[in-house]
Every structure is written in C-alpha cells, then in structure tokens.
Amino acid sequence: MYEDYQNILEELKTKSHFRDLKDYEGKDEKFIYFRGRKLLNLSSNNYLNFADNEKITKEFLDWAEGKYSFGSASARLLTGTLPIYKELEELLSEMYGKERTLLYNSGYHANVGISSALCQKGDVIFSDKLNHASIIDGMRLSEGKFFRFPHNDMSALENLLERERGNYKNAFIITESVFSMDGDIEDLKKIIQLKKKYDCIMIIDEAHAFGVFGEKGLGVAESFGIINDIDLIVGTFGKAIGSMGAFVTGSKILIDFLINKSRAFIFSTALPPINVAFTKWIIEHKLPETLEKRKRMLSIAKIMGSDSHIIPVIIGGNKETVDLCEVLFHNGYFTLPIRPPTVPVGTSRLRLSLTSDITEEDLKVLGEKLNALTLVKQAK
Ligand SMILES: Cc1ncc(COP(=O)(O)O)c(C=O)c1O
C-alpha cells in the first residue's frame, strides 16, 4: 500500500537527498550540543543570540510578570486580537512610517497568504528564481499567472516586464532582500525603477535582514533608504528576533484587503500572546543595543566574502558536502549540508550563518580547513 512512498524514500537515500530529524542535546547562545560535543553553531538563524539565551528569557519572564498567556484560543478576526497584537502592529507601522501592519503566524504563513490573496485572476507576479519556497507556494495558490526571472538579473526582469506587463491587470514584483541560501542582496534600487516604469506593486521579504541591517534593524530597505518606495515589506520574528511570527507593513488599503481576503491569516489561531509580547519587548528593549555587534558581524562576513551574515560555501556534490560537514564537526563547528531541492542540483553547499557573538578567533580553524579545501579543488 505504501510502496510508492517507500520507493521514493529509497531513491532519496541513493542520491544522498534523504533527510531526517536530528537529536540535538541542547543549544546555548552561539553553541549547540550534538553527538556529545559542544560546537560553534554556524547553522542558526539566531543572528543576535536572543533565542536559546537563558539570561534574556529570564529577564523577559520577570518583566512579563505573568501578564500574557500561552494561547490565544482564537483567530484574529474572532476573539484573537488582544491589545498586545495591536501594540506590536502599531509599533512596526511607526518604525517603518507605513500606514498599517499585520501580524502573521510565521513567515511561511505571510508569504503564502499575501500573494495568493492579492494576485487575482488576470493579474501577474514576477518573482526572483531563488525566492523562498513560501513565496513560490503563495504564487502557486494565487489565481494569477507568475513568471520567474533569473536570480538578481535585472535585464531579464525588464525584458519580461516589457513582454508581459501589458497582458495583465495588476502586476507584482516579489523578491527577498538578503537571499536565504546565497546571502547576496537583490538590486532593490533597480527594481524600484522598474516597478515605477511598469506600474507594479513591489513586495520584499526581509526575513533574513530584519533585525540585522539598518540603524534601527528594519532591514536592507532601511539601510538603502528606500522604505517609502516599497509597497509591502515582510519581516519575520523567528530569525534575528529569536521569537516566532511575521509581519507585513504597507498601505492601509492593501493591509485591509489582506485582513479580509488572506486565508493564511484568517483561518489560523493567532500567535500566543506571550510570544507577541516577547517580540515587542525584544524590538523595543534589546534590538536598539545591538548596532555595534551587528556592524561587527557584517564586517566579519565581508572578510569571508559575503555582503551579509549568510555565507555560502558551494561544494557541488551532495556527498562531498556531507563529508566536509563531518570534518568541520570534528574541529568543533556545526554546519549543515544544504542540498537539492533546497538549492539547485550541483550546487550543494554549506550555508554558514554568523551570529553576533561569534568572533574572528572563533572562525580561525574553519578558515584553515576551507582554504585547504580550495587548494585541493584547484589541484584537481
Ligand atoms: C526568505 C524566507 N522567507 C520566509 C521564511 C519563513 O519564515 P518562518 O520560518 O517564520 O516561517 C524563511 C524561512 O526560512 C525564509 O528564509
């Protein structure tokens, strides 16, 4: 009866694509405990070390004094909108200078819920080819048409717009700012020119940049000074903020529309109030203290050749990538092999992500191992 599934799993195993859950023994700020060892965690989205942080958790719980419960027991449109949700939404609207903000339960919910609602029959989306799975799933659920342009290729995007824009009513350009697997940054300023020229609505996903880029931590749009030019900005709380959930901020009309039409928002129980309170507390009380650390993290990344704190080390084959992770494990580093379908075939890689307490000294041996690998590759 389950033969089909069994065969597919066997094939995944043969191709080294099979995945399974790992039994971690614990996490503690920049470290992770695995297979009996304490390792520097280079596979975490906990960019500012707010999650897995006993001191922060304790300080928050003392501050919260039992005021917030662990379950909302309702969707937002029913009885799920307690004051803390609106307070966080209003705080974000104020920080971005936008009219209205809406929380979603996760970045996945946000991306699935936004494009599927806004892009209707007769509309079109232009999406960067490397956009996250949640953006792709949102487009698939929408009743409109979508086109994917080669990653960060602005002339390909313009050609597509030139050819296709006239055939549709509303048009959207959707991209990540910092790309989750490549760590590079989309040419957002050029997209703004194109969106104006071709009359499109621009949506950016700052999942990996919110909390990291910009003086206030609002993301790449803040650091480029282009917040006002972007129609909708999505940010997530599960990465740098160390919490859970997501938001989209923009004009009142678009946010009102999402409240009425976005199924991923409407048909799901609201985030736990304690969690929303933690997010707001981190943004108000802790994020402002991180500017220097964030600058240091991004300058270490620059030395390692990346424009962001995400550093891809492309190896190619699945097995070589898995083997390299094992070598690094024995040298005190926790890295994960990133393989297809998460990344294109033949580009399996280590996705190293820095967190703000990691120092150059911490990365010395890693640098030596990766340099040695480059030499071996060149010799072949
Ligand atoms: C670019 C991007 N958007 C959205 C998400 C989903 O966010 P969440 O984990 O909050 O569901 C991720 C998660 O990795 C991501 O990388």
Side-chain angles (χ1 to χ4, degrees):
M1 187 182 175
Y2 298 145
E3 212 174 287
D4 269 358
Y5 306 105
Q6 181 68 32
N7 290 342
I8 292 169
L9 288 175
E10 287 311 324
E11 196 186 330
L12 288 176
K13 283 180 187 160
T14 332
K15 292 187 175 162
S16 304
H17 284 193
F18 185 77
R19 309 171 196 219
D20 207 352
L21 303 173
K22 293 192 167 54
D23 293 321
Y24 299 112
E25 288 124 30
K27 290 196 277 182
D28 172 18
E29 302 188 32
K30 64 180 171 180
F31 298 106
I32 186 161
Y33 296 84
F34 186 47
R35 285 161 47 195
R37 296 184 68 153
K38 180 179 181 180
L39 306 157
L40 187 74
N41 191 354
L42 291 172
S43 290
S44 165
N45 295 329
N46 185 18
Y47 303 129
L48 302 177
N49 291 308
F50 291 143
D52 313 318
N53 184 322
E54 212 179 300
K55 194 167 148 273
I56 293 270
T57 309
K58 196 170 174 317
E59 195 182 328
F60 167 71
L61 290 175
D62 287 348
W63 175 89
E65 285 180 335
K67 285 198 293 275
Y68 304 101
S69 71
F70 286 85
S72 65
S74 175
R76 287 287 303 279
L77 281 173
L78 303 176
T79 56
T81 299
L82 290 165
I84 190 69
Y85 298 78
K86 288 227 159 145
E87 286 167 27
L88 178 55
E89 286 169 344
E90 280 162 17
L91 172 69
L92 289 163
S93 299
E94 198 183 298
M95 289 174 84
Y96 280 93
K98 296 281 188 195
E99 288 173 0
R100 198 164 184 194
T101 299
L102 184 66
L103 301 184
Y104 274 86
N105 288 356
S106 70
Y108 189 89
H109 283 77
N111 286 333
V112 164
I114 295 167
S115 47
S116 60
L118 292 176
C119 180
Q120 304 172 85
K121 214 172 168 132
D123 294 343
V124 63
I125 299 174
F126 300 94
S127 166
D128 188 287
K129 192 136 197 190
L130 294 191
N131 274 342
H132 189 256
S134 54
I135 298 178
I136 298 171
D137 291 356
M139 297 193 301
R140 285 184 178 150
L141 276 176
S142 106
E143 288 184 4
K145 174 104 180 135
F146 65 87
F147 295 95
R148 297 167 78 193
F149 56 91
H151 177 49
N152 208 4
D153 184 338
M154 292 300 120
S155 43
L157 172 59
E158 177 141 31
N159 288 341
L160 257 181
L161 287 163
E162 186 74 48
R163 199 185 75 203
E164 298 291 343
R165 174 65 187 99
N167 301 326
Y168 299 91
K169 198 163 170 244
N170 298 304
F172 301 83
I173 303 175
I174 307 186
T175 184
E176 294 178 31
S177 58
V178 170
F179 274 79
S180 56
M181 291 299 141
D182 292 66
D184 58 342
I185 298 176
E186 189 88 345
D187 189 350
L188 299 177
K189 288 187 179 163
K190 181 68 190 173
I191 295 189
I192 288 170
Q193 283 173 12
L194 294 175
K195 92 150 205 128
K196 287 181 180 160
K197 183 169 171 193
Y198 293 92
D199 187 25
C200 300
I201 294 172
M202 178 175 174
I203 305 177
I204 66 165
D205 178 354
E206 297 252 41
H208 295 273
F210 178 64
V212 176
F213 280 80
E215 292 272 313
K216 288 193 258 173
L218 300 182
V220 173
E222 185 198 352
S223 60
F224 286 5
I226 54 173
I227 289 179
N228 291 343
D229 293 307
I230 300 167
D231 300 274
L232 290 175
I233 299 177
V234 174
T236 61
F237 306 132
K239 303 182 195 300
I241 302 301
S243 181
M244 183 66 205
F247 69 90
V248 55
T249 192
S251 68
K252 183 169 178 321
I253 291 185
L254 292 184
I255 302 295
D256 285 354
F257 189 86
L258 293 175
I259 292 172
N260 282 275
K261 293 285 183 188
S262 178
R263 294 167 70 85
F265 168 77
I266 299 169
F267 295 106
S268 193
T269 298
L271 286 167
I274 185 100
N275 190 271
V276 180
F278 181 68
T279 302
K280 182 167 175 277
W281 181 80
I282 288 282
I283 293 174
E284 279 187 313
H285 299 277
K286 297 292 164 192
L287 190 56
E289 297 167 5
T290 58
L291 185 58
E292 284 314 309
K293 277 185 169 190
R294 292 192 276 120
K295 280 187 181 158
R296 197 189 62 186
M297 175 168 75
L298 292 175
S299 67
I300 295 178
K302 199 130 233 122
I303 297 168
M304 296 174 80
S306 180
D307 287 337
S308 79
H309 49 302
I310 298 169
I311 303 147
V313 181
I314 298 181
I315 307 298
N318 293 340
K319 187 172 178 311
E320 298 96 292
T321 312
V322 172
D323 290 349
L324 178 61
C325 288
E326 194 59 20
V327 170
L328 294 175
F329 173 87
H330 290 289
N331 284 278
Y333 297 106
F334 184 75
T335 58
L336 283 171
I338 309 287
R339 290 164 282 177
T342 310
V343 291
V345 175
T347 71
S348 289
R349 67 192 67 183
L350 307 186
R351 171 197 181 268
L352 306 180
S353 53
L354 299 181
T355 55
S356 60
D357 290 333
I358 291 178
T359 62
E360 278 184 69
E361 186 60 26
D362 287 332
L363 298 169
K364 203 164 157 263
V365 177
L366 174 94
E368 285 163 15
K369 293 285 158 196
L370 295 182
N371 284 341
L373 177 89
T374 318
L375 291 177
V376 170
K377 273 194 164 177
Q378 279 167 358
K380 275 187 181 168

